[in-house]
Structures are given as structure tokens and as C-alpha cells.
Amino acid sequence: MGIIQVNNIKIFTNHGCLDEEAKIGSEYRVDVEVKADLKKSAKSDNLADTVDYVHLNHIVKEEMAIRSELLEEVAQRILDRFFKEIPMIKKAKVAVAKINPPIGGNVEEVVIILTKKR
């Protein structure tokens, strides 16, 4: 089993429960980690034998572009697509962070972390 991580995917989008969040948007950071059998790709040096991190990044960007009130819903959609589109994945973790959330305090970020496995 091996691990592929794509960290610090930065996206500006409009998630949140408040009307203002839909209008002005916020900065987000997404980190993903997937576990898969990487033995074959380690020997073959062939992209078809591994989880393509470009594909992971593409899924994250597409799902983050769809407005949601809750980060949990966005993270779950990302996980669901990983498992639907990339059969090699055995386990995945997605962390979605809202940078400087409007929660009435000096808070750097809030983070939702979800995991899923086959």
C-alpha cells in the first residue's frame, strides 16, 4: 500500500450559510490523501498504473466550484468522485479549510476532515 498526497490546493469560491459568503466568496485550502497499491507503478514507471494526482486536483477544483452551505457536503462530494472515478483508491481523506472564516473572532481557519474506504 502507498500514499499519494496533494496538499495546499488553493481555491477562491463561495461556500457558506451566509448570503454575504455567496456574494463575496472566501479563500479555501484543500488537502487530499489517497491510499492505493503502488507496487506496480513503482516498477513500471507508467502513469496508467498509479493514481494520477492531476486527476485528483481536477476533481477537487470541479467540486469546490459548486456552491454548498456546508464544507462537509463539499468534502463528501470530492470523496464520492474519487471512489467513482478512480478504482485503484482503497482509502481517501479530504480536508477542506475555510481561511479567515466570518465567525466573529480571530480565527485563522476552520477545517472539515472526512475519510472513506472501500
Side-chain angles (χ1 to χ4, degrees):
M1 195 65 64
I3 296 172
I4 295 175
Q5 295 177 326
V6 183
N7 295 322
N8 206 20
I9 302 168
K10 295 178 183 177
I11 298 167
F12 188 89
T13 192
N14 300 75
H15 301 301
C17 295
L18 303 174
D19 289 338
E20 293 79 20
E21 292 175 299
K23 293 174 187 171
I24 63 172
S26 299
E27 289 186 45
Y28 294 83
R29 186 191 75 244
V30 181
D31 299 313
V32 300
E33 177 179 293
V34 298
K35 293 185 179 182
D37 185 350
L38 302 179
K39 289 181 210 153
K40 185 175 180 181
S41 61
K43 291 182 180 184
S44 72
D45 196 30
N46 187 335
L47 183 59
D49 295 332
T50 192
V51 176
D52 184 353
Y53 50 78
V54 173
H55 191 179
L56 297 173
N57 186 55
H58 176 76
I59 290 170
V60 168
K61 286 182 175 184
E62 282 191 350
E63 293 303 324
M64 286 296 290
I66 301 168
R67 177 164 161 64
S68 295
E69 289 191 7
L70 300 178
L71 298 180
E72 292 91 325
E73 202 262 344
V74 179
Q76 188 63 56
R77 284 198 327 260
I78 292 167
L79 283 172
D80 291 345
R81 279 199 55 198
F82 282 176
F83 281 84
K84 180 181 176 187
E85 297 179 23
I86 309 169
M88 282 188 69
I89 295 176
K90 303 297 183 206
K91 185 175 181 182
K93 177 170 78 170
V94 174
V96 180
K98 180 181 274 192
I99 311 300
N100 297 317
I103 60 174
N106 186 9
V107 177
E108 182 178 331
E109 65 185 14
V110 294
V111 183
I112 300 300
I113 301 171
L114 295 181
T115 60
K116 183 176 179 176
K117 62 181 175 178
R118 286 196 202 276

